[in-house]
Amino acid sequence: MKDKPKLLTVLDGVTLVTFLAATAMVFFYAPTERVMGAVQKVFYFHVAAGWVGMVSFFVAAVVGVIYLIKKSPNMDLIGIAAVEIGIIFTLINIVTGAIWARPIWNAWWTWDPRLTTATIMELVYIAYLMLRQGIDDPERRARFGAVYAIVGFLSVPLTFFSIRIFRTIHPVVIGGSDPSAVGAFDMTPKMFQTLMFSIVVFSILFIDLIWHRVRLGKFQNYLEELKIKLQV
Amino acid sequence: MEETLNTINYALAGFVVIFGSILGYIASLFIRFNNLKKDEEILSDQD
């Protein structure tokens, strides 16, 4: 296994410092929302986590297409890494949304279009991991995974646009909300800057995590090959 | 004017979920990497 690249070590440091800065901005720079109080501060990382989840699934679909064309095992490694990270961040998005909803909507959960489509999206990608577990042949597993990541991506735009297409109580952050939305608020410039910075920081975190996960995948493949060589 | 809700406990729960999930995933990467290192040592002993 190759040593950890210096650039990855630098990226680890940048990720940690910017993440701490984003956390400080959420707590000390962005003002507390007048009606919702402290729970509104969860919103910055809730949106950023949702962003990373969707970007991850987009990356998985794109590398899925590249894999089907070039049959490069590295594309398969990036695909599985992206889906794994996407599942974690979508879960953060869904759970923090439920926590925010309890005091604001007076319910942990409601079958609103956004919540429902986000849950379906999460389940689609959990099924992706289960599908891969069930296939032993690496080439077949990668091919099926690539096709599944491309088809599964249909759930992403459906989730993203659900609050713009359907009548929903979920607030729309950028652009006008449905009048029936509950918990919408006007962002001050400081709130907007904090949100944008959080999204950038979570994007850096995504790149850092995917790099580590791909290295792990390469290590796994190397050991698999070594095992086969020793058996022969 | 509406009164500000006391939602500190919900905010704390939210941040526990965010930081806990991210740290948990980083820990899982670390543990998996260490397990592979151990496997590598065993395999290189057999080689």
Side-chain angles (χ1 to χ4, degrees), chain A residues 19 26 34-39 41 45 84-85 92 95-96 99 102-103 213 216 219-220 222-223 230, chain B residues 1-2 4-5 7-8 10-11 13-15 17-19 21-22 25-26 29 32-33 36-37 40 43 47:
Chain A
F19 194 86
V26 167
R34 192 169 46 84
V35 180
M36 292 185 265
V39 78
K41 288 188 179 288
F45 288 176
E84 206 176 273
I85 294 164
I92 291 173
V95 175
T96 54
I99 290 168
R102 180 64 185 90
R213 181 59 184 83
L216 185 80
F219 197 13
Q220 274 170 337
Y222 162 74
L223 289 182
L230 285 172
Chain B
M1 194 169 149
E2 276 185 271
T4 306
L5 295 169
T7 54
I8 288 173
Y10 293 102
F15 285 105
V17 169
I18 293 164
F19 296 130
S21 304
I22 294 171
Y25 184 66
I26 292 168
L29 288 176
R32 284 187 277 176
F33 196 83
L36 290 176
K37 279 259 181 202
E40 188 186 28
L43 288 172
D47 197 6

Side-chain angles (χ1 to χ4, degrees), chain A:
Chain A
M1 183 65 192
K2 284 180 187 170
D3 288 336
K4 188 177 167 185
K6 275 184 185 164
L7 190 59
L8 183 56
T9 308
V10 172
L11 186 62
D12 287 345
V14 170
T15 306
L16 181 65
V17 170
T18 53
F19 194 86
L20 291 174
T23 307
M25 277 182 85
V26 167
F27 286 110
F28 307 114
Y29 181 72
T32 303
E33 208 273 335
R34 192 169 46 84
V35 180
M36 292 185 265
V39 78
Q40 183 272 334
K41 288 188 179 288
V42 169
F43 148 86
Y44 304 104
F45 288 176
H46 164 77
V47 175
W51 159 257
V52 168
M54 289 187 183
V55 166
S56 302
F57 299 144
F58 175 70
V59 169
V62 170
V63 295
V65 172
I66 299 171
Y67 176 82
L68 292 177
I69 296 166
K70 294 191 172 177
K71 304 283 179 211
S72 160
N74 282 345
M75 292 301 121
D76 183 48
L77 287 179
I78 298 171
I80 178 90
V83 168
E84 206 176 273
I85 294 164
I87 288 171
I88 297 292
F89 281 86
T90 304
L91 188 67
I92 291 173
N93 178 259
I94 292 171
V95 175
T96 54
I99 290 168
W100 172 86
R102 180 64 185 90
I104 308 305
W105 292 349
N106 207 23
W108 293 103
W109 189 261
T110 169
W111 291 104
D112 175 81
R114 167 53 74 84
L115 277 65
T116 307
T117 51
T119 306
I120 291 169
M121 182 177 76
E122 180 80 339
L123 293 174
V124 161
Y125 285 96
I126 289 171
Y128 166 96
L129 295 184
M130 291 165 76
L131 172 83
R132 289 186 66 105
Q133 288 286 326
I135 305 170
D136 290 330
D137 175 33
E139 197 278 324
R140 199 159 168 255
R141 184 170 59 216
R143 189 157 36 90
F144 274 48
V147 172
Y148 191 101
I150 296 162
V151 177
F153 183 71
L154 287 174
S155 64
V156 177
L158 184 69
T159 303
F160 183 79
F161 290 111
S162 60
I163 48 174
R164 289 162 177 87
I165 298 169
F166 304 110
R167 190 171 177 82
T168 170
I169 60 166
H170 189 289
V172 179
V173 177
I174 295 162
S177 257
D178 189 306
S180 54
V182 180
F185 59 95
D186 290 323
M187 269 192 284
T188 66
K190 282 186 176 180
M191 285 176 170
F192 186 73
Q193 288 156 13
T194 305
L195 175 65
M196 288 298 131
F197 188 67
S198 299
I199 289 172
V200 170
V201 168
F202 270 60
S203 302
I204 296 169
L205 177 63
F206 166 67
I207 295 166
D208 192 47
L209 288 177
I210 204 165
W211 195 339
H212 281 286
R213 181 59 184 83
V214 168
R215 285 188 79 237
L216 185 80
K218 282 184 179 173
F219 197 13
Q220 274 170 337
N221 287 354
Y222 162 74
L223 289 182
E224 284 299 318
E225 282 168 21
L226 194 64
K227 274 179 197 168
I228 292 166
K229 212 171 83 178
L230 285 172
Q231 280 166 1
V232 172

Side-chain angles (χ1 to χ4, degrees), chain B residues 26-43:
Chain B
I26 292 168
S28 92
L29 288 176
F30 189 75
I31 291 164
R32 284 187 277 176
F33 196 83
N34 277 349
N35 288 342
L36 290 176
K37 279 259 181 202
K38 281 177 195 164
D39 286 353
E40 188 186 28
E41 281 168 23
I42 293 166
L43 288 172

